[in-house]
Structures are given as structure tokens and as C-alpha cells.
Amino acid sequence: MDKKEILYWLQEKDKNKLTELWERADFVRKQFVGEEVHLRGLIEISNYCKKDCLYCGIQISNIKLTRYRMTEDEVINCVKFAKGNGYGTIVLQSGEDPYFTKEKIVDLIKKIKKIADVAITLSLGERDEESLRLWKSAGADRYLLRFETSNKELFTRIHSSKQAKSLEYRIEQIKILKKLGYEAGSGIMIGIPYQNYESLADDILLFKELDLDMIGIGPYIPHPNTPLGKEFLNSYKNDDERFVPSTELMTYKVLALTRIICPYTNIPATTALATVNTREGRILALKRGANVIMPNLTPPKYKKLYEIYPGKSSADEDPETIHNGIIKIIKEAGRVPGKGHGMSLNLIKNIINKNFT
Ligand code: SAM
């Protein structure tokens, strides 16, 4: 699919026509990654962050937010829950918290690998190459770092604080992850103020160019205590036809197009989608290209403080309730929970191509 066709679908409004896109994405998903929905147990280990991303509720400038760090025992308890429920992966996510030094993360990775046969995904922000290498050697398998938007001007606008790095730096980090042997994940937000269709089409093409193993796509949700959220809520016109709306429908379109263009990649039905449509967000995502869900296993007392945007889906629910709800969603979508680590088929395909062709 070329850029012209991507742009056509992004701007298509006819429901009947869009059914064609949903069916095509679902067909590709079935053919390339099958019926399994892989469960990745998400543990939000800290909401401290030294960065100041203008859209994010845990940015350092949000002084209204109560900060927390999970103890090692608390993290291990979450891992035990994941193991007990047959999860193949746990995801350690946090703000860029200097307390979690590279040595502390090495320790945590080793302890987790000792007690559970799970893949470990890290999502700890921009980190130096030495840390990334150490963590890989200690047993980390995957790393998530969204580039948020491929438009340089927009990226710079939403990462304009002094400690922020450039878009080029972010893309370089993703390439380093691949070089170090991680399954590399990235992603974007849909409907960032002033994001245009052209740049959204470029985002999807960049997914392909980076040959990503995981791609997270969620709507931008304004947080009232952030500079971008204030602008969005007070003065931004979300219905300006020139710009991408931060809607559920637009998110499904990008998800479906991404599945068609990157057929082997792992694509989650994101929490942000479940936040804008609690009842159906995840089911519709599974029917339009997604093959992963990341149940949030963070203890509720912390989870509500990991407030990157308000109204986060299932913020008050305990892991047991969340797990049961997600198994129900998978069944309702006519799919089955994944077995094993749910390794990237994109990576497997690349290994086969390299060695046997
Ligand atoms: N610190 C790590 C990082 O930057 O990759 C991981 C945590 S960060 C909060 C994870 C993701 O949350 C970001 O990549 C961004 O896409 C998403 N996010 C942050 N604020 C958001 C908002 N207001 N609406 C939607 N997604 C948001």
C-alpha cells in the first residue's frame, strides 16, 4: 500500500467503505499472526520522571501528582501473579527515574528470570547504549520506545523542554535496540494538536522502514495538568479538518493500516483505546488488526498515580478482576489467549530470511 492509498483511508468517512478496511486488516492478522492474543502483564514500577514531555501527566513539572516507586517485593508479587495466570511476558514500565539505576534494573531482570519463565519487556524511556546493552545481557528481551510522531516540527513542539532530545535521537535509540538484539517496539499518539494527515501517513511508513516488532497506537488524551492538555482543552479546535482528530475511529484506521503494512508485527489493543471506549475499545481493536493485550498488573494504589492521562481504563481494579475481564474480551472476539512468550514473528521471519535465502 502506498502513501496515496494510506491518505485515502485516513480520510475516508463512509462506514460501509471502512468495513472493507476492517475486514482486510482482520484477514491479514489471521493469515500472518493467527488467532492467539498474547498477554503482556504490565507493571508500572515508578511514576517519577525527569523528563518534561508536554503531553504526559507524569512529566516532572506536574507537581500536583503524588509520586511512588514500587519495591522489589511488590514487583515480584506482580510477576508471580503473571506466572500463575500463564502470561508469557511481563513489561516493566516507568518514567525516566534516576533511582532505578542500570544496576538496579539488572538485578530486577535477573530476579524475575530466576522465578518465572517469561520474556521481559522494558519501557523505561531514553537510556544510554551501555545500559541497554547491560540489560539485554542480563536477560531483557524487548524494549518499547514510541517515537510519538515522525514529524520533526511536531515532535520538537511536544518535547520542547531543555532536557528533551531530538526526533533523530529517538529514532537512533530504536535502531540501537535492534542492533543489540532486542525485539524493538515503538508507536505513536493519534490526534496530537496540529498533527496533519500527511505526517500520520509518514508515521505508518516509518513503522515499516524501522521494521518494528511491536507497534503501539493510541489516541492522544489531554491531561489538564500538562501544557499541551491545557492548550487542547482551552483553545484548540479539535474539529479543524486540516488536522487529525484524537478519536477512536482514527485510531482504528491507523491500527488497521499498520496491520496491513506490517503484517508480522505485534500490535496491542491499547489501554488508551479502552479508556476512550471502555465497553468495546479492545474488542474492536482485536477485530481490526490487534493481537496483543497488556493487562495492567500494577497494584491499584499505585496504578491510579500512574496517571499519564485522566480516566485511565480499570484504574481501580485489582489484577484478578482485570485478568478475568480480558479473558472474557478475548473469548468475545472469538480468539484464544496466547501460549508461550509470544515472540515476534517479524524477528523470526528476519532470522529465516537471513539464514535460508
Ligand atoms: N517513560 C517511558 C517512555 O517515555 O517511553 C514509558 C512511559 S510513557 C508514559 C509511555 C507512553 O505513554 C508514551 O510513549 C506516550 O505515547 C503515552 N502517553 C503519554 N501521555 C499521553 C497522553 N496524554 N495521551 C495518550 N498517550 C500518552
Side-chain angles (χ1 to χ4, degrees), residues 49 51 53 55-58 93-96 123-126 143-148 170 187-189 216 218-223 226 272 306 308-310:
C49 190
K51 288 279 176 64
C53 308
Y55 47 87
C56 184
I58 66 169
Q93 188 174 79
S94 72
E96 286 184 31
S123 175
L124 308 172
E126 293 169 332
Y143 204 99
L144 299 175
L145 184 65
R146 291 183 175 187
F147 59 77
E148 319 292 0
R170 184 72 63 104
I188 54 167
M189 289 183 290
Y220 164 66
I221 303 173
H223 190 302
T226 61
Y306 198 84
I308 54 182
Y309 44 74

Side-chain angles (χ1 to χ4, degrees), residues 43-171:
I43 312 172
E44 295 158 333
I45 62 174
S46 161
N47 71 350
Y48 281 86
C49 190
K50 65 177 188 186
K51 288 279 176 64
D52 217 3
C53 308
L54 266 65
Y55 47 87
C56 184
I58 66 169
Q59 58 159 208
I60 190 169
S61 296
N62 184 7
I63 52 169
K64 291 189 180 147
L65 183 68
T66 305
R67 304 283 168 167
Y68 74 88
R69 285 185 188 106
M70 287 176 67
T71 65
E72 196 178 284
D73 283 351
E74 288 171 329
V75 175
I76 294 297
N77 276 339
C78 295
V79 174
K80 285 181 181 160
F81 178 90
K83 182 183 171 192
N85 285 285
Y87 290 24
T89 301
I90 61 107
V91 183
L92 302 179
Q93 188 174 79
S94 72
E96 286 184 31
D97 180 358
Y99 169 84
F100 279 106
T101 56
K102 51 179 182 292
E103 293 81 10
K104 282 202 175 83
I105 298 291
V106 165
D107 244 38
L108 203 49
I109 292 168
K110 287 188 174 160
K111 284 191 176 121
I112 291 171
K113 286 279 177 172
K114 218 177 205 169
I115 64 154
D117 175 21
V118 288
I120 298 181
T121 303
L122 301 176
S123 175
L124 308 172
E126 293 169 332
R127 300 295 179 126
D128 59 69
E129 187 165 344
E130 191 205 333
S131 305
L132 296 171
R133 183 173 291 114
L134 264 179
W135 298 340
K136 184 77 186 64
S137 318
D141 301 275
R142 309 179 183 139
Y143 204 99
L144 299 175
L145 184 65
R146 291 183 175 187
F147 59 77
E148 319 292 0
T149 169
S150 63
N151 182 292
K152 203 174 151 121
E153 197 188 322
L154 190 58
F155 184 95
T156 311
R157 220 168 69 77
I158 63 173
H159 301 100
S160 61
S161 62
K162 7 181 232 306
Q163 66 276 60
K165 301 247 176 29
S166 63
L167 175 63
E168 288 83 355
Y169 180 87
R170 184 72 63 104
I171 303 291

Side-chain angles (χ1 to χ4, degrees), residues 40 72 97 144 173 197 252 285 303 311 329 335 348:
R40 324 291 205 201
E72 196 178 284
D97 180 358
L144 299 175
Q173 282 253 301
Y197 287 92
Y252 295 133
K303 195 170 27 174
I329 285 171
R335 308 269 284 280
I348 295 173

Side-chain angles (χ1 to χ4, degrees), residues 167-181:
L167 175 63
E168 288 83 355
Y169 180 87
R170 184 72 63 104
I171 303 291
E172 193 47 40
Q173 282 253 301
I174 296 167
K175 291 183 179 164
I176 289 171
L177 291 170
K178 288 184 69 94
K179 185 186 79 183
L180 294 175

Side-chain angles (χ1 to χ4, degrees), residues 166-355:
S166 63
L167 175 63
E168 288 83 355
Y169 180 87
R170 184 72 63 104
I171 303 291
E172 193 47 40
Q173 282 253 301
I174 296 167
K175 291 183 179 164
I176 289 171
L177 291 170
K178 288 184 69 94
K179 185 186 79 183
L180 294 175
Y182 281 95
E183 288 182 36
S186 191
I188 54 167
M189 289 183 290
I190 309 294
I192 304 166
Y194 307 106
Q195 185 178 43
N196 61 35
Y197 287 92
E198 181 94 14
S199 86
L200 196 52
D202 288 337
D203 293 348
I204 299 173
L205 292 170
L206 184 57
F207 290 156
K208 177 85 185 160
E209 190 187 320
L210 290 171
D211 190 29
L212 295 166
D213 298 299
M214 305 169 277
I215 300 171
I217 299 154
Y220 164 66
I221 303 173
H223 190 302
N225 294 341
T226 61
L228 197 68
K230 282 188 183 124
E231 180 186 343
F232 186 96
L233 297 167
N234 296 329
S235 57
Y236 183 67
K237 286 198 172 60
N238 197 23
D239 56 359
D240 187 325
E241 294 270 321
R242 287 172 301 165
F243 303 120
V244 174
S246 62
T247 57
E248 194 187 340
L249 179 65
M250 189 57 65
T251 309
Y252 295 133
K253 286 185 189 178
V254 178
L255 201 155
L257 290 164
T258 301
R259 168 57 68 208
I260 295 164
I261 291 168
C262 308
Y264 286 104
T265 200
N266 285 323
I267 304 180
T270 53
T271 308
L273 251 180
T275 299
V276 292
N277 182 349
T278 316
R279 212 170 47 87
E280 281 192 303
R282 281 198 171 115
I283 293 193
L284 288 175
L286 289 179
K287 291 185 170 171
R288 294 169 179 180
N291 72 324
V292 167
I293 294 188
M294 296 166 73
N296 194 325
L297 307 183
T298 314
K301 66 174 174 177
Y302 297 133
K303 195 170 27 174
K304 49 177 162 289
L305 298 174
Y306 198 84
E307 202 200 38
I308 54 182
Y309 44 74
K312 211 167 87 176
S313 166
S314 8
D316 300 325
E317 288 174 7
D318 59 79
E320 193 82 45
T321 312
I322 290 180
H323 173 76
N324 294 336
I326 283 173
I327 296 296
K328 204 166 147 233
I329 285 171
I330 294 173
K331 285 192 181 136
E332 259 179 74
R335 308 269 284 280
V336 290
K339 292 207 167 65
H341 288 190
M343 190 185 171
S344 162
L345 294 180
N346 193 53
L347 192 72
I348 295 173
K349 172 206 70 168
N350 287 343
I351 294 169
I352 292 173
N353 282 347
K354 200 167 144 199
N355 293 308

